């Protein structure tokens, strides 16, 4: 299994939890000392803060989230993946599709489970999935 396929399966699990508004389930995919850096708010440091941040995101009404792993590598117990994401948000003008990218580092825990260790989110004006392929 390639790193792209492997990490896409983790992101697919994340998307299932996200669609179900399962903030604890989303946070459980992150390491205890994980960090999310986001242009949408202050850094979320630690699994509890990541859970709380997801709960706040769910209140914003984002729907139809997609995540595509564009590049990935793993070496032993560490890895990274570059992801293009998009979602619909509701606003005064109706539904709007937003686009972004995230760069993630992942680590394998002592039980062999891959956990997200760091996420850096970036807003984009366009869907980057077609530009990279």
């Amino acid at each position: 299994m390639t790193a792209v396929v492997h990490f896409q399966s983790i992101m697919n699990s994340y998307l299932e939890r996200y669609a179900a508004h399962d903030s604890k389930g989303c946070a459980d995919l992150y390491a205890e000392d994980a960090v999310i850096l986001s242009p949408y708010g202050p850094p979320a440091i630690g699994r509890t803060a990541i859970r709380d941040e997801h709960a706040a995101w769910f209140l914003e009404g984002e729907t139809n989230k997609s995540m595509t792993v564009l590049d990935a590598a793993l070496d032993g117990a560490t890895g990274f993946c570059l992801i293009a994401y998009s979602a619909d948000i509701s606003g005064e003008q109706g539904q709007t599709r937003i686009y972004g990218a995230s760069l993630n580092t992942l680590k394998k825990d002592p039980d062999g489970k891959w956990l997200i260790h760091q996420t850096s989110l970036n807003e984009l004006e366009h869907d980057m999935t077609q530009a990279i392929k």
Side-chain angles (χ1 to χ4, degrees):
M1 177 184 310
T2 68
V4 169
V5 170
H6 183 72
F7 291 140
Q8 184 66 60
S9 70
I10 294 169
M11 296 308 138
N12 290 345
S13 178
Y14 173 87
L15 287 170
E16 290 171 8
R17 296 166 189 209
Y18 196 92
H21 288 190
D22 180 0
S23 58
K24 181 184 180 314
C26 289
D28 285 346
L29 295 172
Y30 284 83
E32 284 291 340
D33 62 344
V35 176
I36 296 178
L37 302 174
S38 169
Y40 311 111
I45 302 170
R47 193 177 281 161
T48 300
I50 290 169
R51 181 202 62 214
D52 294 347
E53 189 66 21
H54 278 81
W57 290 344
F58 298 149
L59 296 175
E60 295 173 1
E62 185 179 86
T63 59
N64 300 317
K65 188 171 189 81
S66 69
M67 300 170 74
T68 303
V69 176
L70 301 174
D71 191 16
L74 48 92
D75 184 11
T78 61
F80 83 88
C81 61
L82 173 64
I83 296 172
Y85 67 85
S86 61
D88 294 329
I89 58 168
S90 297
E92 293 177 14
Q93 306 296 326
Q95 289 277 30
T96 302
R97 192 81 177 153
I98 60 165
Y99 300 97
S102 67
L103 185 59
N104 304 271
T105 62
L106 294 95
K107 291 184 178 181
K108 197 182 286 189
D109 74 4
D111 296 327
K113 180 180 176 185
W114 284 95
L115 296 172
I116 304 166
H117 190 252
Q118 299 163 329
T119 296
S120 179
L121 300 169
N122 300 279
E123 289 182 284
L124 299 174
E125 292 186 19
H126 303 286
D127 181 2
M128 69 182 264
T129 58
Q130 300 305 313
I132 300 292
K133 291 183 179 181

